[in-house]
Amino acid sequence: MEVKKLMGLSPLFMTVFLHSYSTFMVIPAITDVTMSAICPGEDECSIAIYLTGIQQVLVGMGTLVMMPLIGNLSDKYGRKALLTIPMTLTIIPLAILAYNRTKNYFYAYYALRTLTSMLCEGSVQCLALAYVADNIPENRRTSAFGILSGITSTAFVAGNLSARFISTPLTFQVSAVGAMIATVYMRVFLPESIADVGVSALHSTKGDVNISLLEEDKTSVKIFKTMPSFHDSVSLLRSSVTFWQTAIVAFLVGIGDVALGDSILYYLRSTFHFNKDQFADLMIIAGFGGIISQMILMPMLAPVIAEEKLLSIGLFFACAHMFLYSIAWSPWVPYAAAMFNVLSVFAQPALRSIASKQVGPHEQGKAQGCISGLGSFANILSPLVFSPLTALFLSGNPPFHFPGFSIACAGFAVMIAFAQSIMIKSAPPVSSSKSSSNCDCVEPVSSSKSSSNCDCVEP
């Protein structure tokens, strides 16, 4: 990969690092804050587990609609303009806990965190991926996506190191300030990645509305035409077999990841009495594994190993580390399981790269938004099943003794995703000529054919 292209992405990398640092550093502390506010002095709290699950369901419902919309809007109005919204909204709930963490303030944080996350959870990562796709050739995107994930892992480690050595009140104060700095930096230093935003927006609407309506109210028409319908999403999923298979994998991985994220901290607190410091240690190990993988291994392996193979490798080790968490018999076992992150993090960059190659250069936001939207759908379904399951098996009266049962079930979901990933076949990238094609295809026979002579497979 050309060094010049990577250097051109340095403002994006810094933006992602600052934003991720400010959001990740509160993760080790939020479980203790939640337990102290709702169930003070206890290591087991079903109410806290259910509240976390309800929040995930609501966030999933919101982002299921917002992710494709944000991706589509960014294709027309630019990545930078759309990044401003989620990065600004992130500051508000962090500022509340930076001020106070008592019960009433916690519920205010919970409500605002839920609302803001419904609007923009995951959108910074989604838009960053689209930004990279705008600037990096198709044959180099897997490595570039891996480097972006490595930046995120670096922020993850830095945030957890900070949380490990500073107090809980200071953690939230630093986080709120960091989120503000990230937003200001992005507005000042990040250039727009789509040079012809206005031209492409106008071009995309001229076939759907008449000229007089454009002259009277261009803005409102563009926004409404940008809002994706259910038919648009289905058409995108049907655009190629590879994209459809990738979408299934993304959904199943989302089910497993959400289930693990919602239950692992409560499981470790209940089983091994972990607190903020142990959570931070565990996440630092996982983060270092991600840095090694995405900053060193991924750029080395991506040019020589197909991204479909990297996806399967990542999912296999993701299964393994979930199963190891679920049967942990000693406090050191979760630390060993976290080391599997060195290889399990291959999955997401490979998944996003496969999806990006199935659409044209002016549809990157739409494709990434669709994949993120499926993850949001997983956010809705997963807590409905796994939050009650986690509460049940961590309670005093489980059906049988298996505290990590919900995590094992999450591992089975990822195992199914692994099986599906093996069936993904390498498909030729979609060239830019597909974007300008005037024919209405389900799947082109050859992406290299010109727009004036397009052969299509009938639906």
Side-chain angles (χ1 to χ4, degrees):
M1 185 180 301
E2 297 179 9
V3 176
K4 184 178 179 180
K5 290 183 180 292
L6 281 179
M7 291 300 294
L9 292 176
S10 57
L12 174 71
F13 292 154
M14 181 57 72
T15 297
V16 170
F17 175 83
L18 292 172
H19 175 79
S20 300
Y21 171 81
S22 63
T23 54
F24 285 145
M25 72 181 303
V26 303
I27 295 176
I30 195 62
T31 302
D32 287 351
V33 171
T34 302
M35 297 287 286
S36 298
I38 300 173
C39 303
E42 298 182 21
D43 283 334
E44 299 176 9
C45 184
S46 296
I47 297 175
I49 296 173
Y50 281 116
L51 280 176
T52 302
I54 291 169
Q55 184 180 61
Q56 287 289 355
V57 170
L58 293 174
V59 169
M61 293 172 64
T63 53
L64 180 62
V65 176
M66 293 304 298
M67 282 298 99
L69 176 60
I70 288 174
N72 284 9
L73 286 171
S74 74
D75 284 336
K76 298 184 181 297
Y77 299 104
R79 318 301 181 199
K80 181 176 180 178
L82 271 294
L83 275 170
T84 305
I85 300 171
M87 293 183 69
T88 302
L89 291 177
T90 299
I91 300 169
I92 302 172
L94 293 173
I96 293 174
L97 289 188
Y99 180 73
N100 203 311
R101 288 149 305 284
T102 55
K103 186 174 184 178
N104 290 336
Y105 283 95
F106 170 78
Y107 280 117
Y109 161 83
Y110 180 86
L112 282 172
R113 174 75 171 83
T114 302
L115 180 61
T116 57
S117 296
M118 287 175 68
L119 297 175
C120 56
E121 179 80 8
S123 57
V124 172
Q125 191 71 11
C126 172
L127 293 170
L129 289 163
Y131 191 104
V132 171
D134 293 336
N135 292 275
I136 299 297
E138 291 171 342
N139 63 333
R140 298 292 188 178
R141 283 182 193 160
T142 303
S143 297
F145 287 163
I147 291 172
L148 179 63
S149 296
I151 297 294
T152 305
S153 295
T154 303
F156 185 80
V157 171
N160 282 285
L161 274 173
S162 299
R164 179 66 176 82
F165 295 109
I166 62 178
S167 65
T168 297
L170 189 57
T171 296
F172 286 97
Q173 291 164 8
V174 172
S175 176
V177 173
M180 296 177 193
I181 294 173
T183 305
V184 173
Y185 178 91
M186 183 273 297
R187 291 302 305 169
V188 174
F189 295 105
L190 183 68
E192 181 54 73
S193 65
I194 304 177
D196 57 342
V197 169
V199 174
S200 63
L202 181 60
H203 175 74
S204 67
T205 58
K206 70 178 182 180
D208 300 320
V209 296
N210 57 56
I211 300 301
S212 61
L213 184 58
L214 279 174
E215 291 296 328
E216 291 175 6
D217 197 357
K218 293 180 184 177
T219 303
S220 61
V221 171
K222 290 176 191 174
I223 291 175
F224 282 112
K225 296 304 291 182
T226 301
M227 293 182 68
S229 65
F230 179 74
H231 175 73
D232 294 333
S233 298
V234 172
S235 297
L236 180 60
L237 290 172
R238 293 180 61 200
S239 63
S240 75
V241 174
T242 300
F243 193 89
W244 170 250
Q245 292 174 318
T246 303
I248 293 173
V249 172
F251 173 73
L252 292 170
V253 170
I255 291 284
D257 285 346
V258 171
L260 179 66
D262 284 354
S263 58
I264 185 66
L265 300 184
Y266 294 110
Y267 162 69
L268 293 175
R269 183 183 176 98
S270 174
T271 306
F272 301 116
H273 308 290
F274 277 25
N275 59 24
K276 175 179 78 73
D277 292 342
Q278 281 76 50
F279 293 149
D281 292 339
L282 191 65
M283 293 175 187
I284 289 168
I285 293 172
F288 269 121
I291 293 172
I292 293 170
S293 174
Q294 293 160 333
M295 302 295 282
I296 300 175
L297 297 180
M298 181 71 83
M300 292 171 57
L301 296 177
V304 295
I305 300 179
E307 53 213 0
E308 293 81 11
K309 300 294 184 184
L310 290 174
L311 174 61
S312 297
I313 292 170
L315 292 177
F316 175 82
F317 282 94
C319 295
H321 103 279
M322 288 185 184
F323 288 135
L324 190 55
Y325 273 133
S326 69
I327 61 171
W329 59 91
S330 178
W332 65 265
V333 177
Y335 295 103
M339 294 179 184
F340 281 62
N341 206 45
V342 172
L343 296 175
S344 67
V345 294
F346 283 172
Q348 280 298 331
L351 184 73
R352 297 290 186 157
S353 179
I354 293 169
S356 77
K357 292 181 179 180
Q358 303 309 306
V359 299
H362 298 295
E363 297 175 314
Q364 292 300 320
K366 183 186 294 185
Q368 300 300 336
C370 181
I371 296 298
S372 296
L374 287 167
S376 300
F377 188 44
N379 264 17
I380 299 173
L381 296 183
S382 185
L384 294 176
V385 176
F386 288 96
S387 291
L389 202 61
T390 301
L392 177 62
F393 279 87
L394 293 182
S395 67
N397 298 301
F400 51 89
H401 183 70
F402 192 170
F405 183 73
S406 62
I407 298 175
C409 292
F412 280 114
V414 179
M415 180 182 290
I416 298 172
F418 166 70
Q420 176 64 52
S421 73
I422 295 174
M423 294 185 283
I424 297 178
K425 305 300 182 184
S426 179
V430 175
S431 69
S432 59
S433 63
K434 180 181 175 183
S435 299
S436 59
S437 175
N438 292 323
C439 65
D440 189 9
C441 307
V442 170
E443 189 169 2
V445 172
S446 174
S447 62
S448 62
K449 295 193 177 187
S450 67
S451 60
S452 61
N453 185 26
C454 179
D455 291 334
C456 303
V457 176
E458 294 296 328

